[in-house]
């Protein structure tokens, strides 16, 4: 991580959960962080908790990343004030419990606008900033295991589709960077169930699982530590796709037979 000390990272969705945990770990490693989110109060509290320590500096920007001009304004400020972005971490995302049979168009649009289009706009602007400032940077997309397999949650498939799009866009971005001769890295980090507000909102609609305590889950810090691990790789090494799941979990969700059925099969 020494090569990133004193450099600038932009983190979206930084006010809570995985985003906030990533901000903390970057700052601890001496990275200056521009933390973006829509919730000003939470952003300020995060910055105040870190800026009195011997860490990298936290700059907060209230920003709806689904607003293209707002994103451009942030990158313009970073270029003119901080010398450009070396790291972008696209963490901002949303899910809605919305059926494909009777879901609302505005819910689907919100999912795709934030999870796919805003991520792409931020990635585009990061590429421009890194290229302009001659930075061999790192773009990290916080994806999901939902981007690699269908999860069984009812009315969750538009989120699945958005994260599957992220998986495709990551390799597409690598391909276009390859064609330009760029050394910018692109990583997809796909966590399994993680203790966040998003997971809590999904569990409300689960019949078998009623609280996060009933589930094998990751902490936000586990995902943040994986991000730091990927950033610590040497310039000639790229971790392209990282899937993180709790011990005892699986990437593809499976039906759970009763313990008696399992015992009968294993003892047959």
């Amino acid at each position: 991580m020494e090569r990133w000390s004193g450099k600038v990272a932009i983190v979206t969705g930084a006010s809570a959960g995985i985003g906030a945990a990533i901000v903390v770990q970057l700052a601890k490693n001496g990275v200056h962080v521009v933390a973006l989110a829509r919730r000003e109060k939470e952003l300020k509290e995060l910055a105040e908790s870190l800026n009195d320590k011997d860490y990298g500096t936290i700059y907060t920007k209230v920003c709806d990343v689904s607003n293209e001009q707002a994103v451009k304004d942030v990158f313009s400020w970073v270029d003119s004030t901080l010398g450009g972005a070396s790291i972008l971490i696209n963490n901002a995302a949303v899910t809605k419990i919305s059926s494909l049979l009777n879901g609302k168009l505005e819910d689907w649009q919100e999912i795709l606008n934030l999870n796919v289009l805003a991520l792409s706009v931020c990635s585009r602007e990061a590429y421009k900033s890194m290229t302009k400032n001659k930075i061999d940077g790192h773009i990290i997309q916080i994806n999901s295991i939902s981007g690699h397999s269908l999860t069984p949650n009812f009315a969750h498939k538009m989120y699945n589709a958005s994260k599957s799009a992220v998986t495709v866009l990551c390799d597409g971005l690598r391909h276009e960077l390859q064609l330009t001769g760029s050394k910018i890295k692109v990583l997809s980090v796909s966590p399994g169930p993680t203790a966040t507000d998003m997971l809590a909102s999904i569990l409300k609609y689960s019949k078998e699982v009623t609280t996060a305590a009933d589930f094998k889950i990751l902490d936000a810090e586990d995902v943040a530590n994986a991000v730091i691990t990927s950033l610590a790789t040497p310039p000639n090494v790229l971790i392209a796709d990282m899937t993180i799941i709790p011990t005892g979990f699986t990437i593809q969700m499976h039906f759970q037979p009763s313990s008696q059925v399992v015992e009968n099969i294993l003892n047959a």
Side-chain angles (χ1 to χ4, degrees):
M1 282 295 295
E2 288 183 9
R3 66 182 290 236
W4 303 112
S5 181
K7 305 299 185 183
V8 176
I10 297 176
V11 181
T12 73
S15 61
I18 292 172
I22 290 171
V23 170
V24 171
Q25 289 303 317
L26 287 171
K28 285 183 176 180
N29 281 277
V31 180
H32 304 309
V33 183
V34 180
L36 309 184
R38 290 178 293 184
R39 298 185 290 183
E40 184 175 17
K41 179 174 177 289
E42 287 81 355
L43 278 178
K44 286 185 175 180
E45 289 174 351
L46 177 62
E48 288 169 1
S49 72
L50 297 170
N51 279 339
D52 62 348
K53 296 180 171 63
D54 189 22
Y55 294 164
T57 303
I58 309 300
Y59 304 91
T60 63
K61 292 285 184 181
V62 177
C63 179
D64 177 357
V65 292
S66 63
N67 181 324
E68 181 182 20
Q69 188 57 53
V71 171
K72 287 182 174 180
D73 290 345
V74 166
F75 276 91
S76 177
W77 179 84
V78 170
D79 282 345
S80 61
T81 308
L82 303 177
S86 294
I87 299 167
L88 167 67
I89 299 176
N90 272 313
N91 170 70
V94 67
T95 188
K96 298 280 186 177
I97 305 302
S98 184
S99 165
L100 298 178
L101 299 179
N102 68 347
K104 297 177 181 178
L105 176 61
E106 55 263 36
D107 287 341
W108 299 346
Q109 287 175 327
E110 185 177 354
I111 292 169
L112 296 175
N113 283 343
L114 183 57
N115 298 5
V116 180
L117 299 181
L119 172 143
S120 298
V121 169
C122 289
S123 299
R124 182 193 68 196
E125 295 305 309
Y127 164 73
K128 290 181 178 179
S129 175
M130 292 172 187
T131 303
K132 174 183 176 182
N133 294 287
K134 296 180 172 55
I135 297 170
D136 294 333
H138 206 141
I139 298 172
I140 298 177
Q141 321 289 31
I142 304 301
N143 198 341
S144 168
I145 58 170
S146 297
H148 300 274
S149 64
L150 278 177
T151 55
N153 308 78
F154 173 68
H156 195 60
K157 299 307 184 286
M158 191 59 73
Y159 178 78
N160 267 139
S162 72
K163 289 302 187 178
S164 295
V166 172
T167 300
V168 173
L169 290 169
C170 282
D171 213 42
L173 188 54
R174 290 184 205 105
H175 179 225
E176 293 195 9
L177 288 168
Q178 178 193 58
L179 294 176
T180 68
S182 173
K183 294 181 181 178
I184 296 171
K185 297 183 181 183
V186 179
L187 163 65
S188 167
V189 177
S190 298
T194 307
T196 61
D197 292 342
M198 182 183 290
L199 178 63
S201 71
I202 295 169
L203 294 183
K204 286 193 303 184
Y205 294 89
S206 174
K207 188 175 181 181
E208 288 85 20
V209 182
T210 56
T211 68
D214 299 324
F215 219 43
K216 291 183 177 70
I217 59 174
L218 299 166
D219 291 322
E221 290 73 17
D222 296 325
V223 183
N225 288 334
V227 167
I228 297 301
T229 297
S230 70
L231 287 169
T233 55
N236 64 314
V237 174
L238 167 64
I239 299 174
D241 201 328
M242 181 185 290
T243 301
I244 313 161
I245 57 176
T247 302
F249 202 71
T250 57
I251 296 173
Q252 177 68 56
M253 298 287 281
H254 300 274
F255 288 115
Q256 300 300 324
S258 69
S259 57
Q260 186 60 56
V261 169
V262 174
E263 185 176 346
N264 291 343
I265 293 173
L266 294 179
N267 292 330

